Amino acid sequence: MAHACGFTFHGERPRYWLATLPHPYTEQTAREFVRSRWLGESLGQAVTWAAADRDDDRLLAKVAVFRLDDVFNPTGGEIGYWAHPDARGRGIVVEAVDLVVAHEFSPVRAGGLGRHRLQIGAAWSNAASRQVAERAGFTFTARYRQDGVIGYGEGRTLDDGAGYERLATDGSSRASRTSGVRSRRG
């Protein structure tokens, strides 16, 4: 996974949307990222999945649910995701998010996490990320003015944020299940 993370975060596009991403993003940086996911899981703060290609097991995307330890919303969480360049525009992240949401909303007694509310935040100008949220059945709830930094170097700027949410009672997603992904905890 670390090698694939290093490849995924190499280039201009990831640096633009993930303004706090270390540069250069080395394989060592990726290993530290993976270790931090393990720590978050062991502390009950987050759960992370890798979406792998069904045919060759290549990492195509990562989906995480974090803020699982929020004392003000103890059965909520926030979803974050990214896609490997080979996966972009193929519906893979939407399918992976849909699978993660189903797990998060499933009762604990059935092996899920028993969450009642999930949210997604995206940069207002990140049309691809916003489209994932919408196609995965999340409802647009708010535009947050000057919510976060995007870009790098001289191009660093504040962008508005888009907020989305989905409740366990909202029903299933409209996402299709045809992208050829299998999800596994990472």
Side-chain angles (χ1 to χ4, degrees):
M1 182 167 183
H3 177 72
C5 289
F7 179 78
T8 300
F9 291 135
H10 181 73
E12 303 300 311
R13 188 173 178 171
R15 286 184 64 207
Y16 184 80
W17 295 117
L18 303 170
T20 60
L21 198 64
H23 183 71
Y25 196 92
T26 65
E27 192 162 333
Q28 179 60 34
T29 307
R31 288 180 200 286
E32 291 167 8
F33 169 78
V34 171
R35 277 195 294 274
S36 73
R37 300 308 91 186
W38 293 339
L39 177 61
E41 289 182 13
S42 69
L43 296 173
Q45 300 168 337
V47 182
T48 304
W49 287 268
D53 187 282
R54 284 189 175 109
D55 296 327
D56 61 19
D57 206 36
R58 282 178 305 126
L59 176 68
L60 296 175
K62 185 252 348 163
V63 179
V65 181
F66 52 98
R67 294 182 49 201
L68 297 176
D69 59 346
D70 186 337
V71 296
F72 296 107
N73 191 5
T75 61
E78 184 168 352
I79 295 179
Y81 40 81
W82 52 253
H84 186 279
D86 292 347
R88 294 179 186 146
R90 295 174 42 198
I92 290 167
V93 177
V94 174
E95 182 179 355
V97 167
D98 201 34
L99 291 168
V100 166
V101 167
H103 174 74
E104 295 294 312
F105 286 160
S106 292
V108 173
R109 70 182 175 284
L113 291 185
R115 301 278 138 182
H116 83 282
R117 180 181 180 275
L118 295 169
Q119 64 189 45
I120 293 174
W124 186 260
S125 59
N126 189 340
S129 187
R130 293 184 60 198
Q131 184 178 46
V132 167
E134 292 164 7
R135 288 186 59 210
F138 282 73
T139 301
F140 173 74
T141 56
R143 181 173 184 162
Y144 303 102
R145 297 176 347 157
Q146 296 185 353
D147 187 49
V149 175
I150 59 172
Y152 55 91
E154 296 296 317
R156 241 172 121 90
T157 187
L158 284 171
D159 192 14
D160 290 354
Y164 294 86
E165 69 179 20
R166 188 163 158 197
L167 302 178
T169 56
D170 286 346
S172 64
S173 164
R174 296 177 297 272
S176 77
R177 302 206 182 259
T178 60
S179 62
V181 169
R182 76 179 172 79
S183 183
R184 63 180 175 177
R185 294 226 13 239

